[in-house]
Amino acid sequence: MPKLKLSDRQLYALIEAVKLGEVIKPSQSAKRKAFSRYKIEGWENSKLTGIFYSIQRRLGLIDEVIEELVGVSPLILDPWLRAALRVAVEVAVFRNPNEKTLQHLKGLAKFLSGKTHPYVGYYYYELLPRIINYVPKLDSEEKRLKWEYLFPEWFIAKMRGLLGDEAEELLKALNETLPVSLRVNRLKASVEDVEDYLRRKNLRFERSERVETVIRVLDPFNPGKLMEKGLALPQEEASAVASLILSPEPGETVVDLAAAPGGKTAHMAELMGNEGKIYAFDVDSERIKRMGQILKWAGVEIAEVRKLDGRKAPEVLGEEVADRVLLDAPCTSDGTIAKNPELRWRLREKNIPKVVALQKELLESAWRLLKPGGRLLYSTCSMLPEENEEVVRWFLSRHDDARLVPLGGPYDEGFLPGTIRAWPHRHGTIGFFYALIEKA
């Protein structure tokens, strides 16, 4: 492995980008702003971009190293010091810096003193030798996997409990970049229309084997023009499967309880041939704004979007009004880490009960909305049983009129017979859970 060579200026740019990344989202905007300040362009940009995103992916692990060496959480340190330590740990612990780069790391003490307080620079200078000589203690399988695949130990332990040795394949898959997936909008185009468009752009693609309207684009691609024309929308295969399982029909009344940014709402409108009614609820103003744009592009005419907590939907719409209800519930979203790498370090085991409580309340609300004989799909993009099978078991135990409709595919059976799960390492998509429930 060749030794890493970084100049003073390149280190300064990385530190500013990491610091700005705490307050400017998405992080790529912070990176662009910092790199522009230091005139990082061309090959330099490519090199430093790789290091910057590596820091973002490893952030939780880097912070653990800092906390071990400093004795307190890095979150309470001076922001400039925190950013400099994160860059120093990435370069010295996870890479192979040459001697000149190590000297430049020492020179950061002066940079820090100028940016904040002289004592901050002194403190960094005293700490740096311990960073350079740091060797992790990998005394358990969870720690080994944490360092290799960059996930919290509690999450690794849970996945090993579910999958045994197969968990390592899952962790590996969650670190791979998924291609852009498009779902063709049949209200405006055919699959062949979109495939012809991609061929004209000389892009490689493949059609999903499980959802005939989903196309994976295998080359770098911006779907903006297809979206604006309403021909196709970015949507993962596993997400598109949810609407197909619920299978709303033309003329029906459907409620989407956590609808934004609107991919499933648009898909259901397509399946209904734009005939019937969809009530789409969400609480996030920005996501609702985005949903309005997506539904307009897609040519959806039957959706009524409301900014309202789904738990209050029965008070607004009344009870037993819907033929179908979709509850793609708010969740930890751990199944989407391949699409959102920085999410891994925001996962907190202690937050799961709060998420589950919300899921249960929304599920009860969904049930009140459903007509007798109607069907409710409960889905999440989580892989944790607490948010999936355990919620469904809890719900079924409370409702004698609830019956689980067995799902035979297109993915593997869940840990509750009749439910299914999409696994990133088995199915090449995001992690997803589905349970279809019918009201007697």
Side-chain angles (χ1 to χ4, degrees), residues 4 43 112 154 221 279 317:
L4 176 66
W43 67 268
L112 286 174
W154 72 266
F221 172 65
Y279 295 99
L317 298 179

Side-chain angles (χ1 to χ4, degrees), residues 168-230:
E168 189 161 356
E169 293 176 41
L170 169 65
L171 299 176
K172 184 179 179 184
L174 289 172
N175 277 299
E176 291 169 358
T177 303
L178 287 172
V180 172
S181 283
L182 301 171
R183 180 183 54 74
V184 177
N185 174 26
R186 283 181 165 164
L187 291 176
K188 288 196 171 184
S190 68
V191 175
E192 289 73 23
D193 290 336
V194 175
E195 288 179 336
D196 287 344
Y197 174 89
L198 297 172
R199 282 191 197 96
R200 291 197 300 273
K201 296 287 184 183
N202 293 316
L203 294 165
R204 294 176 303 132
F205 60 86
E206 61 185 18
R207 201 183 293 193
S208 160
E209 294 176 5
R210 300 181 186 93
V211 182
E212 62 179 351
T213 56
V214 168
I215 300 169
R216 294 188 185 93
V217 185
L218 306 176
D219 292 315
F221 172 65
N222 183 343
K225 281 197 171 66
L226 284 173
M227 291 175 66
E228 288 168 17
K229 292 177 180 176

Side-chain angles (χ1 to χ4, degrees), residues 156-171:
I156 292 170
K158 279 193 179 292
M159 293 304 109
R160 289 185 75 208
L162 294 179
L163 295 168
D165 292 340
E166 192 187 337
E168 189 161 356
E169 293 176 41
L170 169 65
L171 299 176

Side-chain angles (χ1 to χ4, degrees), residues 42 85 94 282:
L85 291 175
F94 292 99
D282 209 280

